[in-house]
Amino acid sequence: MADASTQDMLPIGDWVNEIIHFMLDHNAGAFDAIGNSIDWFANMVEFVLLGIPPLIMGGIFVAVGLWRLGWKFAVFVVAALGLIWATGFWSQTIATLALTLSATCVSLVLGVPVGIWCARNKIVNTVVRPVLDFMQTMPAFVYLIPAAMFFGLGRVPGILATVVFAVPPAVRLTNLGIRQVNKEQVEAGHAFGCTSWQLLFKVQLPIALPSIMAGVNQTIMMALSMVIIASMVGAGGLGNDVLASIQRLDVGLGFESGLAVVLLAIILDRITESFGASPSARSEQGS
């Protein structure tokens, strides 16, 4: 803990508090509009997912797993989802999936364009990189404090705190993928008369797709880990059960809810990873 003399020398915490309170006093309407939009989107995603019967939802996951990774992974999906349903955590798992997908969609809508911008502009890349470093290294719990101050308790602050935590991989790997496109291929596009937008959408993005999909995969994984922590501000889902197990010192509840998180993470990780892998690599993943 810093002593009084140190705090007087550089009161960064006081400055941050003043900025937050200034934003709350002068931009309450904007924060309400953002919060209402995020809440509507998250509500829609959760309503759709919870409205799908468990057998159909399970069938969708199994079909996608079979298509992307083969029958062995499809068998694993059947066993995993059956275990989640049998332990009584199906609705909480789907709520967690809805939170994860909502946060991931927002993260990708923000992160992929910023990654493209960074790849095409050195000044932007220089400015954004330390910001991403800050976002990735700041303890995740810290993001919950301003999110709760701006948007109260519930799903919205949990999703927005998750977005801040999960967006850096989307930016970094989109940027990296486009920068790694072979210069000869870019020059060939210029030689055939491609405009800047045609070069981006017909040459750079298709070639960079494996790296971009790796960013999508990492964004989903980080979002899933963060939405569990976001239960501290009332985000809901499996995080509520994990938090309750800590408060009650209930090892059994903690293990069951944690197992549901692990199984969901494995399914999402392997499926999203397969979209950026070659057919031979997918067959190795599914074995």
Side-chain angles (χ1 to χ4, degrees):
M1 183 175 179
D3 56 29
S5 61
T6 304
Q7 292 178 351
D8 291 338
M9 289 173 61
L10 195 62
I12 294 178
D14 293 338
W15 298 342
V16 172
N17 284 333
E18 289 178 6
I19 292 171
I20 296 295
H21 287 298
F22 177 84
M23 295 173 67
L24 283 170
D25 292 338
H26 294 83
N27 298 280
F31 291 122
D32 288 341
I34 294 172
N36 290 336
S37 300
I38 296 295
D39 191 45
W40 174 83
F41 178 66
N43 268 329
M44 181 183 67
V45 173
E46 184 171 345
F47 175 79
V48 171
L49 293 180
L50 287 175
I52 300 175
L55 283 177
I56 296 178
M57 176 64 76
I60 293 172
F61 274 108
V62 172
V64 174
L66 181 63
W67 168 45
R68 299 302 304 176
L69 293 164
W71 68 270
K72 292 182 180 179
F73 183 72
V75 171
F76 168 79
V77 173
V78 171
L81 296 181
L83 183 59
I84 291 172
W85 180 82
T87 52
F89 287 95
W90 179 264
S91 60
Q92 297 96 314
T93 301
I94 297 301
T96 299
L97 176 63
L99 288 168
T100 302
L101 293 181
S102 300
T104 300
C105 289
V106 177
S107 298
L108 295 178
V109 167
L110 296 175
V112 172
V114 173
I116 294 172
W117 195 15
C118 289
R120 296 165 71 91
N121 190 308
K122 291 183 178 179
I123 296 176
V124 174
N125 185 51
T126 303
V127 173
V128 169
R129 283 185 65 186
V131 175
L132 296 177
D133 292 338
F134 178 86
M135 293 167 68
Q136 285 189 297
T137 54
M138 178 66 72
F141 291 95
V142 176
Y143 296 130
L144 298 176
I145 303 169
M149 290 180 67
F150 286 133
F151 302 101
L153 299 179
R155 247 183 325 213
V156 174
I159 290 174
L160 291 176
T162 300
V163 168
V164 176
F165 183 71
V167 76
V171 178
R172 288 187 186 278
L173 289 169
T174 300
N175 180 14
L176 178 65
I178 293 176
R179 287 182 178 275
Q180 287 182 335
V181 173
N182 196 297
K183 291 183 178 180
E184 284 75 12
Q185 293 171 311
V186 175
E187 291 172 357
H190 283 301
F192 282 100
C194 287
T195 65
S196 178
W197 286 104
Q198 288 173 331
L199 185 67
L200 175 64
F201 286 102
K202 294 185 178 182
V203 178
Q204 292 175 310
L205 286 181
I207 296 173
L209 186 60
S211 180
I212 295 172
M213 289 306 302
V216 173
N217 173 270
Q218 290 303 303
T219 298
I220 291 175
M221 292 298 98
M222 294 185 73
L224 180 57
S225 67
M226 185 62 188
V227 297
I228 303 303
I229 298 173
S231 65
M232 297 180 66
V233 293
L238 288 168
N240 282 356
D241 297 290
V242 174
L243 184 61
S245 69
I246 296 173
Q247 294 169 338
R248 303 175 194 167
L249 298 179
D250 188 336
V251 179
L253 177 62
F255 181 82
E256 287 182 336
S257 55
L259 181 61
V261 174
V262 170
L263 294 174
L264 178 62
I266 292 173
I267 293 171
L268 293 177
D269 176 53
R270 298 288 291 277
I271 289 176
T272 55
E273 188 180 31
S274 71
F275 282 93
S278 63
S280 59
R282 288 204 305 270
S283 63
E284 291 178 3
Q285 291 172 7
S287 61

